[in-house]
Amino acid sequence: MAEIAKIEVNGTTYEFPIITGTENEKAIDIKTLRGVTGGVTTIDPGYKNTGSCESGITFLNGEQGILRYRGYSIEELAEKADFLEVAYLLIFGELPNKEELDKFHSDIKDQSVVDEDIKKIVDAFPKNAHPMGVLSSLTSALTSFNPKSVDVDSEEEIYKAVVKILGKFPVLVAWTMRKNQGLPFRYSDSSLGYIENILKMMFKKPGEKYIQNPVIVNALDKLLILHADHEQNCSTSTVRIVGSSHAGLFASISAGISALWGPLHGGANQAVLEMLAGIQEDGGDTAKYMAKAKDKNDPFRLMGFGHRVYKNFDPRAKIIKVSADEVLADLGIADPILDIAEGLEREALNDDYFVSRKLYPNVDFYSGIIYRAMGIPTEMFTVMFALGRLPGWIAQWKEMRVRKEPIGRPRQIYVGENLRSFVPVEKR
Ligand code: SDX
């Protein structure tokens, strides 16, 4: 017996089907609402109660702190898989076998050459340009060098577009960082693994041999896995809605990068480090900043805390915190910033303001501490988030296009002026 929801409008009761997902999430299907009610719609700023699509990619349960990619728990994937396996899983729906994974990596390597003219675009930016603005522009520029739009009815064409962006994006990330540091650009090294190649392009100094540190390789691989997808978050919803107009994959991802940049979203990892450094400079008085975070008249928020969906610990934050401790210990770094972070966490978890609002550390609270320990500049932290989120954006764009979802075009409630006549300027 199909479940139904009843909505009464102006004395008339309307029935709408309730759909149930594979994890028993329920939603009222209001696709016919405006038509049957003669124009009545819903309104839900920030879409806190509104689903935009049915998706089979990522499941998360905010109350229980559950996160799964294609049914696999984030804990298992972070421990047992590598980033390319997870990227393949998210995009194509299944974990690859050895042959598929080797071919995937080989095809990605074949696509890791970036047109030399991209360098002219990078050079045009001022050195202090924010890396997220550079990365978004370079990603959009990829369209100029790959103008043919993807035929989403062709699995082969989709596969080619996927390996193309997975091959070129790390080069754009590395060149963005090298530009910021005034260092020469390095090319992809096809003799290396995916993560090792990224690290070498980012960190190899001219005239020096670059020695891979397995602790850093493993930590970055895990961080990218933990950031790989997160269902309909702000930047992913941006990628989907831009792609719903049939804009290309690169253009859609470029838009997602801009959405991720915001300090309330992916930009929070940079904001967390800036906040912690600010507290340290101000004498490390965490109680003062806890009070500021709770003061409604103070715009200060505890960056890295709270989440739209997680009303329990962000499962990624738990894994990243363990990794942060391991990386700092392995590298022999005693970072006072970490002590301040742990102090804030301890105080917040025992403070009614945070507990009552279910504000826990999120994915961004500890990730910046690892990136800092790895020698990544603070302004590059959100670029690293984008590097991890890329497979998720691809998977979600592909799902939306293959399922031929309609163009995204929300309604509104108009609250402006009613009809009035034009007044010539001499009479105003
Ligand atoms: C990411 O959506 C995703 O999945 C995102 C992400 C992903 O993987 O894609 O998980 C990545 O973006 C993580 C979030 C990173 N952002 C931050 O760390 C920035 C700090 N956090 C907040 O800005 C906030 O918690 C949000 C934006 C994350 C969530 O905001 P909501 O869901 O809109 O909640 P809200 O702003 O309505 O807050 C509810 C209450 C308010 O107080 P009251 O009005 O009830 O008195 O909690 C308070 C807020 O003032 N609050 C905070 C707070 N976050 C919420 N107070 C102090 N410090 C904070 N960080």
Side-chain angles (χ1 to χ4, degrees), residues 230 264-265 296 301-302 304-305 307-308 316 362 389:
H230 214 240
L264 295 189
H265 189 17
K296 287 298 164 206
R301 281 194 160 183
L302 207 54
F305 265 80
H307 197 277
R308 172 58 58 79
R316 301 166 297 176
N362 58 48
R389 186 52 53 87

Side-chain angles (χ1 to χ4, degrees), residues 210-274:
Y210 181 71
I211 310 291
Q212 297 282 350
N213 178 334
V215 170
I216 288 187
V217 171
N218 293 331
L220 182 55
D221 192 71
K222 187 176 286 190
L223 277 169
L224 297 185
I225 289 171
L226 293 169
H227 285 81
D229 193 52
H230 214 240
E231 54 133 278
Q232 304 312 315
N233 60 84
C234 178
S235 54
T236 298
S237 298
T238 301
V239 170
R240 285 183 83 118
I241 204 165
V242 170
S244 73
S245 74
H246 289 193
L249 175 59
F250 302 157
S252 304
I253 287 171
S254 172
I257 294 168
S258 296
L260 188 70
W261 191 354
L264 295 189
H265 189 17
N269 56 18
Q270 173 181 340
V272 166
L273 252 294
E274 289 164 350

Side-chain angles (χ1 to χ4, degrees), residues 218-365:
N218 293 331
L220 182 55
D221 192 71
K222 187 176 286 190
L223 277 169
L224 297 185
I225 289 171
L226 293 169
H227 285 81
D229 193 52
H230 214 240
E231 54 133 278
Q232 304 312 315
N233 60 84
C234 178
S235 54
T236 298
S237 298
T238 301
V239 170
R240 285 183 83 118
I241 204 165
V242 170
S244 73
S245 74
H246 289 193
L249 175 59
F250 302 157
S252 304
I253 287 171
S254 172
I257 294 168
S258 296
L260 188 70
W261 191 354
L264 295 189
H265 189 17
N269 56 18
Q270 173 181 340
V272 166
L273 252 294
E274 289 164 350
M275 172 187 75
L276 295 172
I279 294 173
Q280 185 187 31
E281 281 159 31
D282 190 22
D285 182 357
T286 51
K288 171 181 171 184
Y289 285 85
M290 289 291 288
K292 285 170 62 69
K294 297 189 287 188
D295 178 357
K296 287 298 164 206
N297 300 317
D298 190 325
F300 176 80
R301 281 194 160 183
L302 207 54
M303 302 314 279
F305 265 80
H307 197 277
R308 172 58 58 79
V309 179
Y310 287 125
K311 300 308 173 191
N312 191 317
F313 234 89
D314 181 335
R316 301 166 297 176
K318 279 184 181 173
I319 299 170
I320 290 177
K321 181 169 186 308
V322 170
S323 198
D325 290 333
E326 288 168 358
V327 168
L328 291 176
D330 286 318
L331 297 179
I333 298 173
D335 188 345
I337 289 275
L338 181 62
D339 299 335
I340 292 176
E342 287 174 339
L344 278 178
E345 179 187 2
R346 222 177 5 260
E347 289 174 39
L349 296 184
N350 292 294
D351 183 296
D352 181 59
Y353 173 94
F354 287 85
V355 174
S356 63
R357 291 169 177 78
K358 300 182 188 311
L359 303 176
Y360 296 93
N362 58 48
V363 67
D364 294 304
F365 189 62

